[in-house]
Amino acid sequence: MSKLTLKAAVALIDGALAEAARQKCRPLTVSVLDDGGHVKAVHRQDGSEFLRPRIAEAKAAGALGMGRSTRKMGEQAMQHLPFFAGLVGASDGRIFATAGGVAFTDSVGEVLGAVGVSGDTSDRDEACAFAGIAAAGFKVAPDS
Amino acid sequence: MSKLTLKAAVALIDGALAEAARQKCRPLTVSVLDDGGHVKAVHRQDGSEFLRPRIAEAKAAGALGMGRSTRKMGEQAMQHLPFFAGLVGASDGRIFATAGGVAFTDSVGEVLGAVGVSGDTSDRDEACAFAGIAAAGFKVAPDS
Amino acid sequence: MSKLTLKAAVALIDGALAEAARQKCRPLTVSVLDDGGHVKAVHRQDGSEFLRPRIAEAKAAGALGMGRSTRKMGEQAMQHLPFFAGLVGASDGRIFATAGGVAFTDSVGEVLGAVGVSGDTSDRDEACAFAGIAAAGFKVAPDS
Amino acid sequence: MSKLTLKAAVALIDGALAEAARQKCRPLTVSVLDDGGHVKAVHRQDGSEFLRPRIAEAKAAGALGMGRSTRKMGEQAMQHLPFFAGLVGASDGRIFATAGGVAFTDSVGEVLGAVGVSGDTSDRDEACAFAGIAAAGFKVAPDS
């Protein structure tokens, strides 16, 4: 059974959205997946567009499935466009090479899951992801 | 813009899971969609299997997409298996002819969205859906 | 990181195929997935039809995703046809309600993954799955 | 019936992973498909991310489906991005225009299948593919 609890996932979302309020972000969607890439909790704020849950989930799933943040993937993607075009297909669209998808670990470094945030600029999306991970007491997973 | 707020969607989920606690249900997943069939909020309880979010979403989407509760669809399905088999394909798997998917309206009867619950028997799943709808101050939408 | 090693997954496959040889089974495909439902190892014997890898994977993924053996699902499916028709769609075809998909645990009961076997009768497929799980030193996971 | 045996496919994988050990590669996934593009054997090393089986299979399937190595496709892709974007969709994600997907033949030049390797740089992925093909006694298929 996944070690990520619903309570922790909701705390992570609440922490991300509290940071969004501080930064006066556009309406966001935050998706939290367990370590196998399956949905644990999703919240879509009022005004957040209806594709946002798909984007947020794809960011989180991509970070898990490739073992690195979607920010790092985005930097790599511009140098390796065919690789990332292929990855979109091979993952059935569950990858998004734009900052805002971040895997997280417990205190001893075991990956528990990932969060994806979508709705504002990718930099601000990612800042909210980091804030949520900290609020839940987790750590950002290192890139592979 | 959808009239369903995130605050109301989370209140609906909390109400459904409070009923589940009273009934000592197995771990549940509850998915709330807006009137366009797009995810507003999802919570998967600890121990709820990883296919449950897909099932819960399919129940809610099916209730919206066919304009009737998935309980009514389930009764019809046994008499019309080929119709429902076709529906599974035509909806890309976003239909589920088993009780637990219920659309809801505001006080004047406008459909705001639907909830899908999965994890226990379909009767108990649906009882939790009804409890959540009441807790959020909404009404069960009539079947078409 | 998944706790299921490649070495153990291959030992499981070898154990399953050794049992198949003893029982003179038809050519089999054996798929082993980690606890998140992702492929760890697959072997398709000579003469095993080309859809078998999809079936074997769907058996294993279904056992994980619903938390019960595909034998138990098969018994339930005949009583709840609409539920299982819906499940095929909601899982994108990654479910198979026929014996031969079995989740397994380590010695303390933590689920490590699942095996799916396809090619002979479902009873013999499942017997090979059990033999493989034992050969790898794992235990059959209890049904939820 | 496919002429590629499971024994040869596993020998190919073992040869590829032996080369990976010599080169101290990152954890790899190796997928071997028959000439119809169907899975014969897959091994995912410990630590290889969960999207790797999809990538490895897409590399092998693409090499077969277009009759040329994925290295050659990658060279072409930079000049013909819309073609390769279309190919991702038309193949349902079973193409990958990055080195590491190689078809192979028997001693008289008949195509028996293809191997896809993913996990390290595409150059090293491909070197492991070549090593595996040689270890199994096969030859690299010429590009069309």
Side-chain angles (χ1 to χ4, degrees):
Chain A
M1 194 175 98
S2 168
K3 292 177 180 171
L4 175 64
T5 64
L6 174 59
K7 187 176 175 183
V10 172
L12 197 164
I13 292 174
D14 288 343
L17 293 179
E19 178 65 18
R22 275 190 291 276
Q23 297 205 19
K24 301 189 195 308
C25 289
R26 292 191 64 238
L28 300 183
T29 297
V30 185
S31 181
V32 177
L33 308 185
D34 68 20
D35 62 323
H38 305 287
V39 168
K40 190 73 187 175
V42 184
H43 285 190
R44 174 161 64 107
Q45 289 190 300
D46 304 335
S48 185
E49 295 86 357
F50 71 62
L51 272 175
R52 298 293 178 183
R54 296 287 195 102
I55 300 173
E57 182 174 335
K59 286 184 176 181
L64 287 165
M66 291 300 286
R68 69 197 70 164
S69 71
T70 58
R71 170 177 295 281
K72 184 169 177 185
M73 274 188 245
E75 294 163 1
Q76 296 171 328
M78 293 306 293
Q79 308 302 320
H80 304 282
L81 282 173
F83 181 83
F84 279 87
L87 208 45
V88 168
S91 69
D92 281 334
R94 295 187 87 231
I95 194 112
F96 221 90
T98 308
V102 187
F104 53 83
T105 74
D106 60 16
S107 58
V108 298
E110 186 178 359
V111 173
L112 296 181
V115 56
V117 180
S118 179
D120 205 306
T121 65
S122 60
D123 284 350
R124 299 179 94 187
D125 290 346
E126 190 187 48
C128 294
F130 287 154
I133 290 169
F138 299 140
K139 296 183 177 177
V140 173
D143 289 331
S144 69
Chain B
M1 195 176 96
S2 166
K3 293 178 181 171
L4 175 65
T5 64
L6 174 57
K7 186 174 175 184
V10 171
L12 197 164
I13 292 175
D14 288 344
L17 294 179
E19 178 65 17
R22 275 191 291 277
Q23 296 206 19
K24 302 190 192 309
C25 288
R26 291 191 65 239
L28 299 183
T29 297
V30 184
S31 183
V32 177
L33 309 185
D34 67 19
D35 61 323
H38 305 289
V39 167
K40 189 73 187 177
V42 183
H43 284 191
R44 174 161 64 109
Q45 290 191 299
D46 305 334
S48 185
E49 296 87 358
F50 71 62
L51 273 175
R52 296 293 178 183
R54 298 286 197 103
I55 300 172
E57 183 174 335
K59 285 184 176 180
L64 287 163
M66 290 300 286
R68 68 198 71 163
S69 71
T70 59
R71 170 179 294 281
K72 185 170 176 186
M73 273 188 246
E75 294 163 1
Q76 297 171 326
M78 292 306 293
Q79 308 303 319
H80 305 281
L81 282 172
F83 180 83
F84 279 86
L87 210 45
V88 167
S91 68
D92 281 333
R94 296 185 87 232
I95 193 106
F96 222 91
T98 307
V102 187
F104 52 83
T105 74
D106 60 16
S107 58
V108 298
E110 187 179 359
V111 173
L112 297 180
V115 56
V117 180
S118 179
D120 205 306
T121 64
S122 59
D123 284 348
R124 300 179 94 186
D125 290 346
E126 190 187 49
C128 295
F130 287 153
I133 290 169
F138 299 139
K139 296 184 178 176
V140 173
D143 289 330
S144 67
Chain C
M1 195 176 96
S2 167
K3 292 179 180 169
L4 175 65
T5 65
L6 174 58
K7 187 175 175 184
V10 172
L12 197 164
I13 291 175
D14 289 344
L17 294 179
E19 178 65 17
R22 273 190 292 276
Q23 295 206 21
K24 301 189 193 309
C25 288
R26 293 191 63 238
L28 300 183
T29 297
V30 185
S31 181
V32 177
L33 308 185
D34 68 20
D35 61 323
H38 305 288
V39 167
K40 190 74 188 176
V42 183
H43 284 191
R44 175 161 63 108
Q45 289 190 300
D46 304 335
S48 186
E49 296 86 356
F50 71 63
L51 272 176
R52 297 293 177 185
R54 296 288 195 102
I55 300 172
E57 183 174 334
K59 285 184 176 181
L64 286 164
M66 291 300 287
R68 67 196 72 163
S69 71
T70 59
R71 170 179 294 282
K72 184 170 176 185
M73 273 189 245
E75 294 163 1
Q76 296 172 326
M78 293 306 293
Q79 308 302 319
H80 304 282
L81 282 172
F83 181 84
F84 279 86
L87 208 46
V88 168
S91 68
D92 282 334
R94 296 186 88 232
I95 195 113
F96 221 91
T98 308
V102 186
F104 52 83
T105 74
D106 60 15
S107 58
V108 297
E110 187 178 1
V111 173
L112 296 180
V115 55
V117 180
S118 179
D120 205 306
T121 64
S122 60
D123 284 349
R124 299 179 93 185
D125 290 346
E126 188 187 50
C128 294
F130 287 153
I133 289 169
F138 299 140
K139 295 183 179 179
V140 173
D143 290 330
S144 68
Chain D
M1 193 176 98
S2 167
K3 292 177 180 172
L4 175 65
T5 64
L6 175 58
K7 187 176 175 183
V10 172
L12 197 164
I13 292 175
D14 288 344
L17 293 179
E19 178 64 18
R22 275 191 291 277
Q23 297 206 20
K24 301 190 194 307
C25 289
R26 292 190 64 240
L28 299 183
T29 297
V30 185
S31 182
V32 177
L33 308 185
D34 67 22
D35 62 323
H38 304 289
V39 167
K40 190 71 186 177
V42 183
H43 284 191
R44 175 160 64 108
Q45 289 190 300
D46 304 335
S48 186
E49 296 87 358
F50 71 61
L51 274 175
R52 297 294 178 183
R54 297 285 197 104
I55 300 172
E57 183 174 334
K59 286 184 175 180
L64 287 164
M66 291 299 287
R68 68 198 71 163
S69 71
T70 59
R71 169 178 296 280
K72 184 170 178 185
M73 274 189 245
E75 294 163 2
Q76 298 171 326
M78 292 308 292
Q79 309 303 318
H80 305 282
L81 282 174
F83 180 83
F84 278 87
L87 210 44
V88 167
S91 69
D92 280 334
R94 297 185 86 232
I95 193 103
F96 223 91
T98 308
V102 188
F104 52 82
T105 74
D106 60 16
S107 58
V108 298
E110 186 178 2
V111 173
L112 298 180
V115 56
V117 180
S118 179
D120 206 306
T121 64
S122 59
D123 285 349
R124 300 180 95 186
D125 289 347
E126 189 187 49
C128 294
F130 287 154
I133 290 169
F138 299 139
K139 296 182 177 179
V140 173
D143 289 330
S144 68

